[in-house]
Amino acid sequence: MSIKYAILGILAERDLHGYELKTNFDDKVGEFWSLNFGQIYSTLDRLEKDGLVTHDRQAQDKRPDRKIFSITKKGRIILTQWLSTPISKVRALRDEFFIKLVFMDKDNPAAVLDLIEKQKMLHLKHMNRLTRRKVALKSKICNRDTLPTELLLDAGLFHAEADIKWLTLCETKIKTEIKRKE
Amino acid sequence: MDRSDEKTEELTMIELRHAGRKFRQGLREVKALSDVSLVIRKGEFLSIMGPSGSGKSTLLNLIGGLDRPTEGEVILDGRPLHGITDDQVTLLRRRHVGYVFQFFNLLPLLTACENVGLPLLLDGLPFSKVKQKAEALLEKVGLAERIEHRPDQLSGGEMQRVAIARALIADPAVLLADEPTGNLDSHTGEEIFLLLKSLNDRGQTIVMVTHDPKAAAYGSRIVTLKDGHPAQDICIGED
Amino acid sequence: MNLANLLRHISLKHVKLQRTYMLLAVSGICLGVAAMVSIDIVNKSVLQSFAESIDHITGRAALEITGAESGFPEELLERVQNVPGVEYAVPVIEASANLSGGSERAFMILGVDVLQDYKIRSYSLNDETTDIPDPLLFLAKKDSILLSQTMAKQEGIVIDQEIEVQTVQGIKKFKVRGLLNPKGPAKVAGGDIAIMDIFAAQAAFGNAGSIDRIDVSFLPGEKLDTMEARIRKVLPEGYSLDTPTGRTRQVAILLDRFQKSMRFIGFMVMFVGMYLIYNAVSISMVQRRKEIGILRALGAKGGEIIALLFAETCVISAVASVVGIGIGLGFAKLSVGIVAQSITDMYLKTSVTALTFSWTILFRDAAFGILASLIAAAYPAVSGVRSSPISMILPLAPTVNGFKLSRKLMAVSVLLLFLSSVILAAYGMAASDSAIRTTGAIFASALLLIIGISLLTPAFFYRSLLIFRHFLAPWLGAGGRLACINLQKNVSRNGVAVAAIFFSIALYVCSANAMHSLRVSMFDWIDSIIRADILISSGNPLVVGGAQSIPMPESLAKEIEKIPGLQSVEPFRKSSLDYGGRKIMLEIFDVALRMDYCPGMFAEGSKEEVVQLVPGQDNIMVNEGFAARYHIKRGDTLVLPTPDGPVRFGVAAIVVSYTSDSGIIWMDINTYRRLWRDTLVDCYEVRVKEKKDIPAVRQAILDRLGKNRHLFALPALEFRNEIKKIMESSFLITHAVNIIVLIIAGFGIVITQLASVLERTREIGVLRAIGMKKNQVAGVVIIESALIGTVGGFLGAAAGLLLGWIELEGFFRLDYGASIAYHIHYASVAWAIVLSAGLAALAGFYPARRAARINIVEALTNE
Ligand SMILES: Nc1ncnc2c1ncn2[C@@H]1O[C@H](COP(=O)(O)OP(=O)(O)O)[C@@H](O)[C@H]1O
Ligand SMILES: [Mg+2]
């Protein structure tokens, strides 16, 4: 899975301890992908086993020592390799909504249309949220590189738009079907 | 009751009361809009969505006084658009409405600066006074370098930004945009929306017509039209 | 303020960036104004030159007494002199003369009372004249003459030189006693003038004992009205008493018809100019539709846009008018000579030396140009602005032909045509003195006809296109079909171009047919009245019309008769008299003899009656124009002034005669000699026994009689040719105007096609992209133009034929009084149609080139 590569990517920038790693992850891709600490630590363990990541101990005043993780040479090679390979697997259509469509009541299209409408509104609201984040991101003056985040937001917007367009098409086709039957 | 009414009055920029618009095409009568009641508040960024032919442009034209309803009434910033002469409506449009069209509609013979200043020139101001403001606006929309260019020397996005600057020159109460990015690619379109959004953040009331959900998502409120009638009205609060 | 903004920021850009288009739009009004200005200036200059020469000649005289042209007895002078309040009354003789030999220069001789005349007229002798001639010496020697310095210099004549001058008595020698500075009378006629003592002048140029005119000046403080009344009391009836300005007015009346018809021509040019402006404005409305829509959407009021368009039209037409004035002055300079020659040939001797500049004329014509433009712009501007702003921003639907093809318009046009034909029918059926038989009625009908057809052009054009598409287009391949489709797309605009062509071709066909009919009638008439073989005259080969000849003595007839091979010699005398304030031409000949061998053309009455009633008796014949003007029928009587006072004459017949448009009276020579005691002859008409002898007889006449006088002996054929030349030169202006009108109509096509090419840039780009050749694109445009021209040509030819008849009726029968049969000139009709198609195709060349040069990539990328 690509959590592994995400962690490698973050560590490639600089060395971090576990908590920092989590916030950094959320900052970059949190909108689409939420992880808990458990997942992060188990992944780090696996990476260490494979020799892609190592750690140093850092002493703290009152608390136990902190592990500072860093990427190894082998880890960097693996990461570069991954980054330069395109994804061959196309997004699969196994949306929950699609399942609902399959099992919809053929004699009561009005309910389906209603569902579609509601779904569209949800998508729109989602898009609105994403847009507002994007606007905020653009207007915020910060020296951090926000481009990847922005691109991610765009991806979300385009996917939502595609869904809305698809839903609209569903709506139209169902309606014509109803008309044809009458 | 009275007090709350007063309060909404204060906040209302545009109000449509049972507005409808019929077109006669030969013997056939087309109802482009029917019984639309809508209140648009000051500072709102309203997106009007709907498939093509649903009456979006017709609605916008009613709001901007480019067209008149066949039923009902339209009130713009406390000024009714009914019961007054065409010249009076024209004056309202000149001073209180900024229009941005899908096809830019710049005058091809005029420079960017002159195009922007046109509404004030129409109002009788000398060009020397208009020029400064027009240049400032062009700078604001990021066209400081294009002040003396004619439309045929500008890209689509630049033309639309000139059109937005033109719409803003008279400090209009409301900015109306009809598919402002219908002719632009996504990236250029996004820049236009960001520009509109930033204007809205500074308090400009905007009504934008679009059939593009990405565009509509910039609004603080989205109204969808279906067959000449509002179907959905989503207000997106600051959640 | 507002308007100024719009003008500066929008209209100016159009002028700057669309120059060709503006230039064409301007040229119509420009040429229209030019034509009007030149015609008005020439007209004014002609009158002004008459007024000035009358002024110079009359000097201080406040009143002039004139009788019949052949003078009145001297004893009258004394009577006038004795009227209380009269300061001076001096006699004057005016005669025309020619220098013999050299340039044969024609000039005027003023015979005056040398001892008195300086009191009324100012003469100034050249300083170079060493010894100022003693008036008594001048008097004592009958051969004394004073020449204007201008003429002397040009002819190389010096003081004391002897010059040979043709007189009634033949060639005589005169001695130049002095030269006159160009001042007073010496300025008249550009200096073609000489002064003689009145008695010497009488002897040489007229009848002894009779004078032409008495010039009268008053004592200080005397009023014109009272003096006029007092003098009139001592004058017998038939003498006219007039002020110098009054005399100018008489000339104006004489030239009235000529000047009116010239003005009318100028107006016609303006009218075509209006088509062009209308065309330009309506096209600019189409082109600027979107611009206007945007302005409206941004908050420009409808009124403001209309004001803008009007202001634009105003400014453009003002500029065009100013340029037009410039061109008009140029035209005037070029044409004044031609006009003066025409007037000299047809009315009376004119020598216009300088153009009279008049601000009033310039302002009036410029104002007219601007007004015409505004009228032309009114409909397209107002109707263009009336539609709603949004519909104007949207792209124009391909077939918006709306109003132009509407039933309403058709109905209006049919109504106008119906009205026109009703008027014509009423005119045709009405009695000759009915109220409807007026120029006004006939021109109302013509105007209705023109406007009616103009409104009908789009519909007619549309039908023609359908026919073309069906029958002709297949022969022309894709180009033909495409041209047809393109034209159908905007029938209303193309209809205006068709209308412009229609109008100019109608004008051309109309004038060609009217001229042709005039020619035919004129020659028929000449044939009917001049059956002589040789015409002998002196001073001027043509004695008809306004040409001045030097009369010959009666005795010459005897000498001519001596030449062998002659059948008859008939005298002809030409004079004029004052009747009802007009100068009426008096033509005198031996009626009995003439009727013997000439058929004559009678409107009322017959040859037999005339032969019975006229010779030697107090009966006369008058021409149709005279009869119509004064409502005279056969058998009526009228009183004419004679030197011995008024005499009542009976009208024996109404005849056809075209020599003058102010009225003609025919009188028997015996009657004339008895009453006027004038035995001079202007022309001898000689018949030869054997036609083959004509050259020999002519030579014999010149040999025998040409020694002591300069004679012209024209065979009838040459005479006809001379007449033809005069006619053709009088048509010259009409020809020029026809050409201008055709050019303007051609501009109309250029504008229309240019606009249409501009409008379909994208479409042409697509056609080029899918493989249409440049030549094909250009070909389509040229076919379109030719189609517009042909349709206009057909309409114009049809209307022109009708208008030609109307012109003859309106201008000639009613105004001129001459009935002229209508003769259709088929060649001109065919030529007009070919011309319209050819001209239109030619006009299409520039737009075609523009179309062919369209850049494909740009055409496809532009919105
Ligand atoms: N000027 C007009 N004449 C006739 N019908 C019109 C006119 N303008 C708009 N319509 C009709 O009104 C309906 C709504 O048009 P419009 O407001 O332009 O739709 P939208 O902008 O949503 O695509 C359409 O069915 C259209 O055909
Ligand atoms: Mg629309």
Side-chain angles (χ1 to χ4, degrees), chain B residues 20-24 29-33 70-71:
Chain B
R21 179 71 168 95
K22 284 183 210 147
F23 290 106
R24 189 151 294 151
E29 204 170 64
V30 181
K31 267 193 175 176
L33 274 186
T70 39
E71 298 124 36

mmCIF file of all heavy atoms in Angstrom, chain B residues 20-24 29-33 70-71:
data_model
loop_
_atom_site.group_PDB
_atom_site.id
_atom_site.type_symbol
_atom_site.label_atom_id
_atom_site.label_comp_id
_atom_site.label_asym_id
_atom_site.label_seq_id
_atom_site.Cartn_x
_atom_site.Cartn_y
_atom_site.Cartn_z
ATOM 1 N N GLY B 20 -41.919 36.464 -13.613
ATOM 2 C CA GLY B 20 -42.029 35.510 -14.716
ATOM 3 C C GLY B 20 -41.693 36.199 -16.018
ATOM 4 O O GLY B 20 -41.775 37.427 -16.135
ATOM 5 N N ARG B 21 -41.282 35.390 -16.959
ATOM 6 C CA ARG B 21 -40.968 35.982 -18.270
ATOM 7 C C ARG B 21 -41.421 35.019 -19.353
ATOM 8 O O ARG B 21 -41.002 33.867 -19.391
ATOM 9 C CB ARG B 21 -39.459 36.225 -18.383
ATOM 10 C CG ARG B 21 -39.012 36.809 -19.711
ATOM 11 C CD ARG B 21 -39.467 38.268 -19.840
ATOM 12 N NE ARG B 21 -38.854 38.975 -20.953
ATOM 13 C CZ ARG B 21 -39.421 39.103 -22.160
ATOM 14 N NH1 ARG B 21 -40.592 38.550 -22.392
ATOM 15 N NH2 ARG B 21 -38.831 39.777 -23.112
ATOM 16 N N LYS B 22 -42.298 35.521 -20.216
ATOM 17 C CA LYS B 22 -42.763 34.698 -21.337
ATOM 18 C C LYS B 22 -42.183 35.259 -22.616
ATOM 19 O O LYS B 22 -42.001 36.465 -22.756
ATOM 20 C CB LYS B 22 -44.294 34.770 -21.434
ATOM 21 C CG LYS B 22 -45.021 33.959 -20.395
ATOM 22 C CD LYS B 22 -46.509 34.073 -20.664
ATOM 23 C CE LYS B 22 -47.309 33.944 -19.364
ATOM 24 N NZ LYS B 22 -48.527 34.751 -19.399
ATOM 25 N N PHE B 23 -41.894 34.373 -23.549
ATOM 26 C CA PHE B 23 -41.491 34.822 -24.884
ATOM 27 C C PHE B 23 -42.503 34.326 -25.881
ATOM 28 O O PHE B 23 -42.996 33.208 -25.757
ATOM 29 C CB PHE B 23 -40.119 34.267 -25.260
ATOM 30 C CG PHE B 23 -39.001 34.879 -24.474
ATOM 31 C CD1 PHE B 23 -38.376 34.164 -23.460
ATOM 32 C CD2 PHE B 23 -38.583 36.162 -24.743
ATOM 33 C CE1 PHE B 23 -37.354 34.731 -22.738
ATOM 34 C CE2 PHE B 23 -37.545 36.727 -24.015
ATOM 35 C CZ PHE B 23 -36.935 36.010 -23.015
ATOM 36 N N ARG B 24 -42.780 35.171 -26.837
ATOM 37 C CA ARG B 24 -43.680 34.698 -27.880
ATOM 38 C C ARG B 24 -42.847 34.322 -29.108
ATOM 39 O O ARG B 24 -42.071 35.103 -29.627
ATOM 40 C CB ARG B 24 -44.669 35.807 -28.241
ATOM 41 C CG ARG B 24 -45.767 35.321 -29.155
ATOM 42 C CD ARG B 24 -47.036 36.115 -28.954
ATOM 43 N NE ARG B 24 -47.619 35.899 -27.632
ATOM 44 C CZ ARG B 24 -48.331 36.795 -26.987
ATOM 45 N NH1 ARG B 24 -48.538 37.960 -27.523
ATOM 46 N NH2 ARG B 24 -48.834 36.546 -25.796
ATOM 47 N N GLU B 29 -46.037 30.137 -27.116
ATOM 48 C CA GLU B 29 -45.580 30.974 -26.021
ATOM 49 C C GLU B 29 -44.609 30.162 -25.163
ATOM 50 O O GLU B 29 -44.927 29.059 -24.737
ATOM 51 C CB GLU B 29 -46.769 31.435 -25.190
ATOM 52 C CG GLU B 29 -46.475 32.707 -24.452
ATOM 53 C CD GLU B 29 -47.737 33.269 -23.822
ATOM 54 O OE1 GLU B 29 -48.285 32.585 -22.947
ATOM 55 O OE2 GLU B 29 -48.155 34.366 -24.214
ATOM 56 N N VAL B 30 -43.412 30.682 -25.002
ATOM 57 C CA VAL B 30 -42.408 29.966 -24.201
ATOM 58 C C VAL B 30 -42.306 30.628 -22.840
ATOM 59 O O VAL B 30 -42.104 31.835 -22.746
ATOM 60 C CB VAL B 30 -41.026 30.022 -24.894
ATOM 61 C CG1 VAL B 30 -40.011 29.258 -24.068
ATOM 62 C CG2 VAL B 30 -41.125 29.466 -26.294
ATOM 63 N N LYS B 31 -42.499 29.807 -21.785
ATOM 64 C CA LYS B 31 -42.352 30.355 -20.434
ATOM 65 C C LYS B 31 -40.920 30.132 -19.996
ATOM 66 O O LYS B 31 -40.557 29.050 -19.549
ATOM 67 C CB LYS B 31 -43.300 29.636 -19.480
ATOM 68 C CG LYS B 31 -44.620 30.338 -19.323
ATOM 69 C CD LYS B 31 -45.367 29.752 -18.146
ATOM 70 C CE LYS B 31 -46.653 30.518 -17.870
ATOM 71 N NZ LYS B 31 -47.413 29.898 -16.785
ATOM 72 N N ALA B 32 -40.080 31.144 -20.150
ATOM 73 C CA ALA B 32 -38.669 30.993 -19.805
ATOM 74 C C ALA B 32 -38.500 30.985 -18.297
ATOM 75 O O ALA B 32 -37.647 30.299 -17.753
ATOM 76 C CB ALA B 32 -37.855 32.107 -20.423
ATOM 77 N N LEU B 33 -39.336 31.744 -17.610
ATOM 78 C CA LEU B 33 -39.298 31.812 -16.143
ATOM 79 C C LEU B 33 -40.721 31.892 -15.644
ATOM 80 O O LEU B 33 -41.564 32.530 -16.281
ATOM 81 C CB LEU B 33 -38.591 33.086 -15.685
ATOM 82 C CG LEU B 33 -37.072 33.106 -15.535
ATOM 83 C CD1 LEU B 33 -36.693 34.437 -14.921
ATOM 84 C CD2 LEU B 33 -36.574 31.960 -14.687
ATOM 85 N N THR B 70 -42.536 39.690 -17.482
ATOM 86 C CA THR B 70 -43.910 39.832 -17.976
ATOM 87 C C THR B 70 -44.900 39.729 -16.820
ATOM 88 O O THR B 70 -46.027 40.167 -16.934
ATOM 89 C CB THR B 70 -44.226 38.758 -19.038
ATOM 90 O OG1 THR B 70 -43.622 37.524 -18.646
ATOM 91 C CG2 THR B 70 -43.689 39.157 -20.387
ATOM 92 N N GLU B 71 -44.455 39.105 -15.720
ATOM 93 C CA GLU B 71 -45.261 39.122 -14.496
ATOM 94 C C GLU B 71 -44.330 39.407 -13.328
ATOM 95 O O GLU B 71 -43.142 39.167 -13.403
ATOM 96 C CB GLU B 71 -45.914 37.757 -14.230
ATOM 97 C CG GLU B 71 -46.874 37.255 -15.262
ATOM 98 C CD GLU B 71 -46.454 35.895 -15.768
ATOM 99 O OE1 GLU B 71 -45.942 35.087 -14.976
ATOM 100 O OE2 GLU B 71 -46.599 35.677 -16.989
#
